[in-house]
Amino acid sequence: MSTFVAHNTNMLDTIITSKTRLKLLIKFFVSSTNKGYLRGIAEEFNESTNAIRKELNQLSDAGYLSRTSENNRIYYQANTQHPLFQSLQNLVRTYLGIDQAVDYVLERAGDVETVSLLGDYAKGVDSGTIELMVLGDELDKAYLLQLSAKLEKLLNKEIKLYFERPEEVLQQIILYQGED
């Protein structure tokens, strides 16, 4: 499994050379409920609005993202009706090394409010260390730590979990955000 994942991550980095586009694909395709608007995404990624706007427009024009207008903002979200939606979602989840585990983990981890990708993977760099920040009330931290240890062996990658926001975080990609 880890050889397959490593091969796919190298292949994905080769195919998608724009780090901004890779981060957008991760944000929108890891969970179909994720959405965002231009300035919010630019702040989340710590990038210029021009770079984000260019990629959002290209992904929207190609039909991968849908646009909706709410409160004078244009929100972007994965187009689940696109014929390649499921393939892109599976590719992104494989790239991150989480495959189909996202929903399974969320069901058993407690009251999860947000799960964010930090560090190198949030920058679109496959460094071998996956940093995740899991925030919420009454989290089953022992379960999450046990699961991360199992995933480390399976994926042959180091997994760092944070249950509070580290001070040094400059960049993050929100993988899951619970309903308000």
Side-chain angles (χ1 to χ4, degrees):
M1 173 70 179
S2 61
T3 305
F4 175 73
V5 171
H7 176 70
N8 273 347
T9 58
N10 292 338
M11 184 176 69
L12 192 58
D13 287 339
T14 303
I15 293 171
I16 303 170
T17 56
S18 166
K19 298 297 184 198
T20 302
R21 180 172 294 186
L22 184 57
K23 289 188 277 188
L24 287 169
L25 289 173
I26 291 169
K27 176 172 181 61
F28 292 119
F29 285 90
V30 75
S31 172
S32 63
T33 60
N34 287 347
K35 66 180 184 177
Y37 63 97
L38 177 64
R39 289 195 191 283
I41 295 168
E43 288 175 16
E44 181 180 331
F45 291 177
N46 196 28
E47 290 196 28
S48 75
T49 54
N50 288 337
I52 302 294
R53 180 183 293 112
K54 175 185 167 194
E55 295 295 343
L56 286 172
N57 286 339
Q58 288 178 353
L59 291 169
S60 296
D61 291 346
Y64 298 116
L65 298 180
S66 60
R67 300 176 192 163
T68 56
S69 183
E70 295 176 31
N71 302 325
N72 295 325
R73 289 186 178 149
I74 297 173
Y75 283 87
Y76 297 85
Q77 191 167 8
N79 178 3
T80 58
Q81 302 306 308
H82 193 281
L84 294 177
F85 169 77
Q86 194 64 54
S87 296
L88 283 169
Q89 188 174 56
N90 289 339
L91 187 62
V92 165
R93 288 180 175 183
T94 299
Y95 173 78
L96 294 175
I98 58 174
D99 293 312
Q100 303 298 324
V102 172
D103 295 330
Y104 180 80
V105 169
L106 292 175
E107 287 175 12
R108 292 170 166 49
D111 186 16
V112 177
E113 292 173 12
T114 60
V115 177
S116 299
L117 185 65
L118 310 175
D120 290 339
Y121 278 87
K123 298 173 192 167
V125 175
D126 179 13
S127 67
T129 301
I130 299 171
E131 295 181 60
L132 294 170
M133 178 175 62
V134 182
L135 302 177
D137 294 325
E138 300 180 30
L139 294 174
D140 188 343
K141 294 177 184 175
Y143 167 76
L144 291 169
L145 291 169
Q146 180 183 19
L147 182 65
S148 70
K150 288 180 182 178
L151 286 173
E152 281 183 345
K153 291 177 184 172
L154 179 68
L155 302 173
N156 198 28
K157 294 182 184 199
E158 181 182 0
I159 297 178
K160 290 185 180 177
L161 287 180
Y162 301 95
F163 300 110
E164 295 177 357
R165 183 176 180 80
E167 288 183 29
E168 69 277 3
V169 172
L170 299 175
Q171 201 162 19
Q172 69 175 345
I173 296 176
I174 298 171
L175 302 176
Y176 168 82
Q177 189 156 16
E179 297 295 320
D180 292 335

